[in-house]
């Protein structure tokens, strides 16, 4: 710890960065603020001389510093507690990591004053912008059904991919448990695996009977893609119903940057 004495003017110019009169108008307020990081002692009253002795970091400050070093970015005015809660929720895989659910559980835990999804949406966007939550890897995929129109690169003659398949874990959940979106229930792992297997086993038959004929009828790609998404959603709900699920939906699980994922798991005490 180090101690340094300041006149009021020096204190204002070197530490507080406010005008001398501003300090005098709210002296108690500024002394209280200084006490957060310093031991404050008034050595002399006229003219006032103030001694500041640096404090060691509190356990919470040490903990926050470690977290910020792991994620490696400036969070500005963002609430560090909510950032921690979002990332821990994703890594723990207990709740559905959607905006409504995270906001609700953060409020229930007493770390956030509102269950508004807008705040969490902004925080999730911040995590993506800073490469903490990363987009899933994609691989080019070709549909070999002869009815699917081939798109060819005019310069190279290469047959372009029909679509790009995302490589990521998917979460299956009951969309409207108890009629409340923020109480969506993440299904048990074995149930999720069974539903996923049934879905992909049934998908080729659904494509043959409902989607490929649309190509033969000359419908636009936009129309076909829209019909395909509706048919896939319906298929998933039907399979979910067979497993006793009210309204089965799935979402891509947010992916934490692998460079920091292990460090965050260790930080939160989650088994690697």
């Amino acid at each position: 710890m180090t101690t340094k004495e300041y006149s009021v003017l020096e204190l204002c110019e070197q530490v507080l960065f406010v005008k001398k009169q501003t300090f005098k108008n709210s002296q108690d307020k500024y002394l209280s603020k200084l006490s957060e990081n310093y031991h404050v002692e008034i050595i002399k009253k006229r003219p006032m001389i103030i001694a500041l002795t640096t404090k060691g970091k509190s356990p919470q400050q040490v903990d926050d510093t470690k977290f910020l070093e792991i994620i490696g970015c400036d969070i500005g005015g963002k609430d560090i507690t909510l950032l921690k809660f979002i990332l821990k929720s994703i890594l723990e895989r207990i709740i559905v990591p959607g905006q409504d659910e995270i906001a609700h559980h953060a409020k229930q835990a007493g770390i956030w004053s509102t269950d508004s999804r807008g705040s969490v949406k902004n925080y999730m966007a911040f995590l993506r912008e800073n490469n903490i939550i990363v987009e899933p890897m994609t691989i080019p995929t070709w549909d070999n059904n002869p009815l699917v129109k081939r798109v060819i690169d005019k310069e190279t003659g290469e047959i372009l991919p029909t679509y790009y398949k995302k490589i990521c874990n998917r979460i299956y959940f009951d969309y409207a448990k108890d009629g409340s979106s923020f109480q969506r229930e993440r299904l048990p792992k074995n149930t999720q695996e069974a539903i996923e297997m049934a879905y992909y086993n049934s998908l080729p038959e659904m494509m043959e009977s409902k989607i490929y004929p649309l190509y033969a009828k000359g419908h636009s790609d936009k129309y076909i893609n829209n019909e395909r998404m509706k048919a896939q959603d319906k298929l998933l709900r039907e399979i979910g119903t067979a497993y006793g699920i009210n309204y089965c939906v799935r979402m891509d699980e947010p992916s934490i940057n692998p460079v920091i994922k292990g460090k965050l798991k260790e930080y939160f005490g989650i088994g690697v």
Side-chain angles (χ1 to χ4, degrees):
M1 293 189 296
T2 58
T3 300
K4 186 174 180 180
E5 296 181 2
Y6 298 87
S7 68
V8 171
L9 181 60
E10 289 172 336
L11 186 70
C12 293
E13 291 180 344
Q14 299 174 27
V15 182
L16 295 173
F17 305 106
V18 298
K19 293 180 179 179
K20 184 176 180 180
Q21 191 59 49
T22 302
F23 171 78
K24 287 185 175 181
N25 291 342
S26 304
Q27 180 175 309
D28 290 344
K29 168 188 157 184
Y30 284 105
L31 291 178
S32 176
K33 184 174 179 63
L34 285 169
S35 68
E36 294 175 4
N37 298 307
Y38 301 93
H39 296 290
V40 180
E41 183 181 1
I42 299 176
I43 302 297
K44 186 178 177 183
K45 290 187 177 181
R46 295 180 183 276
M48 183 177 283
I49 302 296
I50 299 173
L52 300 182
T53 303
T54 56
K55 289 182 177 179
K57 287 186 176 180
S58 69
Q60 185 62 57
Q61 289 174 321
V62 172
D63 184 81
D64 288 348
T65 299
K66 183 177 180 181
F67 173 77
L68 293 173
E69 288 174 351
I70 292 172
I71 64 173
C73 69
D74 181 4
I75 67 171
K78 293 216 166 7
D79 188 295
I80 192 170
T81 307
L82 184 58
L83 284 172
K84 291 179 183 180
F85 186 83
I86 292 171
L87 292 171
K88 186 178 181 183
S89 296
I90 293 171
L91 292 170
E92 281 183 326
R93 294 183 167 182
I94 297 173
I95 67 172
V96 176
Q99 295 161 11
D100 290 310
E101 293 81 1
I102 290 175
H104 170 71
H105 287 281
K107 184 179 180 182
Q108 292 293 99
I111 65 170
W112 200 239
S113 60
T114 174
D115 56 9
S116 168
R117 70 196 303 269
S119 298
V120 173
K121 181 180 179 180
N122 292 336
Y123 275 62
M124 295 284 277
F126 170 82
L127 292 169
R128 288 189 173 92
E129 289 167 5
N130 286 278
N131 203 37
I132 298 166
I133 293 178
V134 295
E135 295 302 316
M137 183 178 72
T138 61
I139 57 173
T141 304
W142 290 263
D143 192 322
N144 294 319
N145 188 290
L147 293 174
V148 177
K149 181 172 63 177
R150 300 291 187 269
V151 179
I152 301 175
D153 187 306
K154 293 180 180 179
E155 294 184 0
T156 65
E158 177 188 4
I159 299 175
L160 299 177
T162 310
Y163 62 95
Y164 287 83
K165 182 178 181 181
K166 287 189 286 189
I167 306 301
C168 64
N169 184 51
R170 290 187 170 87
I171 303 165
Y172 294 79
F173 58 95
D174 191 340
Y175 182 81
K177 176 177 170 58
D178 299 330
S180 178
S181 62
F182 57 69
Q183 291 183 4
R184 297 169 188 168
E185 180 180 5
R186 185 168 181 154
L187 303 177
K189 183 178 179 181
N190 60 345
T191 304
Q192 292 194 57
E193 291 173 349
I195 290 176
E196 183 164 81
M197 182 180 295
Y199 173 80
Y200 283 110
N201 286 340
S202 303
L203 189 59
E205 181 181 345
M206 184 275 287
M207 293 291 291
E208 288 288 346
S209 63
K210 296 183 179 180
I211 304 306
Y212 292 138
L214 299 178
Y215 286 100
K217 294 177 181 179
H219 288 290
S220 68
D221 288 343
K222 182 178 180 180
Y223 175 82
I224 293 172
N225 286 336
N226 187 51
E227 292 300 303
R228 175 178 55 78
M229 287 189 289
K230 289 194 291 186
Q232 287 175 330
D233 289 343
K234 183 179 178 182
L235 173 62
L236 185 58
R237 289 197 300 274
E238 290 173 349
I239 293 171
T241 299
Y243 282 87
I245 309 303
N246 179 54
Y247 196 96
C248 188
V249 180
R250 70 176 184 173
M251 66 177 286
D252 297 342
E253 182 173 45
S255 180
I256 305 295
N257 188 326
V259 175
I260 64 173
K261 185 176 181 178
K263 294 178 182 178
L264 282 173
K265 279 192 166 185
E266 181 179 358
Y267 172 81
F268 291 124
I270 299 170
V272 181

